[in-house]
């Protein structure tokens, strides 16, 4: 009997980064699986109790805190205590290869590191499910989700659309502005020439002002000097003889 594979995605411990867990959960959902996400900051007991209540086939943990050597064995021991030790315990995170091999030897499933293709995770879970329940119990993969059609025109149509033609059409006001700028150019040049001429003429005016006193002095030197009439000396008085 075919049925959907049920997967529990958990974030144990104090790890607060769940973007990778959500990406994996979305990929598993698109592959036709039923996904239950526990949320952040879950304890091992809470994760195992949720797995028992939801009757899941797979428990997938996302561990980025570096506590993978404690969390994975602890959750596996709780799963065995609650009678679900035959379910698959897998997951991923920042886990060195040596630690992955050590956890694999303890009965934990395959672990995935950063940058793993989500289709590899889907294939691994489906392969495990088929090995436990048989190939007949494995549900078929659903078709890939539909993507929106591209906005580009169909192949072979070289004619632009009306919006493209309006966007690339030249503006009528541009030549008028250029012509006006060309007409205004001679006026600006004439103003510059007039300013330069005014600057050159300014010193000459100043020089003419300075030369004016010299000319006045020359005119004054040419004019005859009027002599004031000499005063007559009084005649000496004659002394009377007695």
């Amino acid at each position: 009997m075919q049925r959907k594979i049920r997967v529990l995605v958990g974030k144990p411990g104090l790890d607060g980064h769940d973007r990778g867990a959500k990406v994996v959960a979305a990929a598993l959902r698109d592959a036709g699986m039923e996904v239950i996400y526990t949320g952040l900051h879950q304890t091992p007991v809470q994760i195992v109790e949720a797995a028992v209540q939801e009757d899941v086939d797979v428990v997938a943990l996302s561990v980025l805190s570096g506590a993978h050597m404690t969390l994975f064995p602890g959750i596996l021991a709780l799963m065995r205590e609650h009678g679900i030790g035959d379910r698959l315990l897998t997951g991923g995170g920042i886990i060195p290869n040596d630690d992955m091999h050590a956890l694999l030897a303890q009965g934990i499933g395959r672990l995935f590191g950063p940058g793993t293709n989500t289709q590899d995770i889907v294939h691994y879970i489906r392969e495990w499910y088929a090995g436990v329940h048989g190939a007949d119990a494995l549900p078929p993969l659903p078709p890939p989700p539909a993507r929106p059609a591209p906005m580009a025109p169909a192949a072979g149509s070289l004619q632009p659309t009306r919006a493209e033609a309006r966007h690339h059409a030249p503006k009528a006001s541009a030549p008028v502005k250029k012509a006006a700028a060309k007409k205004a150019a001679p006026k600006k040049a004439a103003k510059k020439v007039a300013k330069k001429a005014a600057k050159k003429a300014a010193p000459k005016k100043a020089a003419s002002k300075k030369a004016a006193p010299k000319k006045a002095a020359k005119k004054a030197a040419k004019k005859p000097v009027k002599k004031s009439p000499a005063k007559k000396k009084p005649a000496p008085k004659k002394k009377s003889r007695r």
Side-chain angles (χ1 to χ4, degrees):
M1 180 179 177
Q2 293 182 353
R3 64 176 182 83
K4 289 186 177 182
I5 304 172
R6 296 176 62 84
V7 182
L8 178 76
V9 177
K11 287 288 296 182
L14 300 177
D15 180 15
H17 184 80
D18 63 344
R19 181 173 296 179
K22 290 179 179 179
V23 170
V24 173
L28 298 178
R29 178 200 60 196
D30 294 340
M33 303 181 191
E34 291 185 7
V35 182
I36 300 97
Y37 178 52
T38 61
L40 294 171
H41 311 307
Q42 298 294 306
T43 63
V45 175
Q46 290 174 332
I47 292 174
V48 174
E49 288 179 353
V52 172
Q53 293 175 4
E54 296 293 341
D55 191 21
V56 298
D57 302 298
V58 181
V59 176
L61 305 179
S62 174
V63 182
L64 301 174
S65 60
H68 47 271
M69 296 302 293
T70 302
L71 293 173
F72 278 99
I75 291 177
L76 180 60
L78 289 173
M79 290 173 63
R80 289 171 178 171
E81 289 179 6
H82 286 75
I84 57 172
D86 58 337
R87 316 296 168 86
L88 175 62
L89 176 60
T90 182
I94 304 176
I95 305 173
N97 291 330
D98 295 340
D99 294 345
M100 287 184 181
H101 293 301
L103 293 172
L104 184 62
Q106 298 180 23
I108 296 166
R110 181 181 172 187
L111 302 178
F112 302 89
T116 302
N117 191 340
T118 55
Q119 295 304 315
D120 295 341
I121 303 174
V122 171
H123 178 72
Y124 171 69
I125 293 176
R126 287 177 58 85
E127 188 179 31
W128 172 87
Y129 188 83
V132 174
H133 300 280
D136 296 336
L138 187 66
L141 283 171
R147 295 182 180 180
M151 299 300 293
S157 60
L158 300 178
Q159 294 182 357
T161 60
R162 291 183 179 180
E164 292 176 349
R166 290 177 184 175
H167 178 72
H168 295 290
K171 296 181 180 179
S173 59
V176 178
K177 291 182 179 179
K178 290 182 180 178
K182 289 181 180 179
K183 290 180 181 179
K187 293 183 180 180
K188 290 182 179 180
K191 287 183 180 180
K192 288 183 180 180
V193 173
K195 286 183 180 180
K196 289 182 180 179
K199 288 181 181 179
K200 290 182 180 179
K204 291 183 179 180
K205 290 182 180 179
S208 61
K209 289 182 180 179
K210 290 181 180 179
K214 292 183 179 180
K215 290 181 179 180
K218 287 182 180 180
K219 288 181 179 180
K222 288 180 180 180
K223 288 182 180 180
V225 180
K226 292 182 179 181
K227 296 181 179 181
S228 58
K231 294 181 180 181
K232 294 181 179 181
K233 294 181 179 181
K237 294 180 179 182
K238 293 183 180 181
K239 294 182 180 180
S240 59
R241 294 178 180 178
R242 289 182 181 179

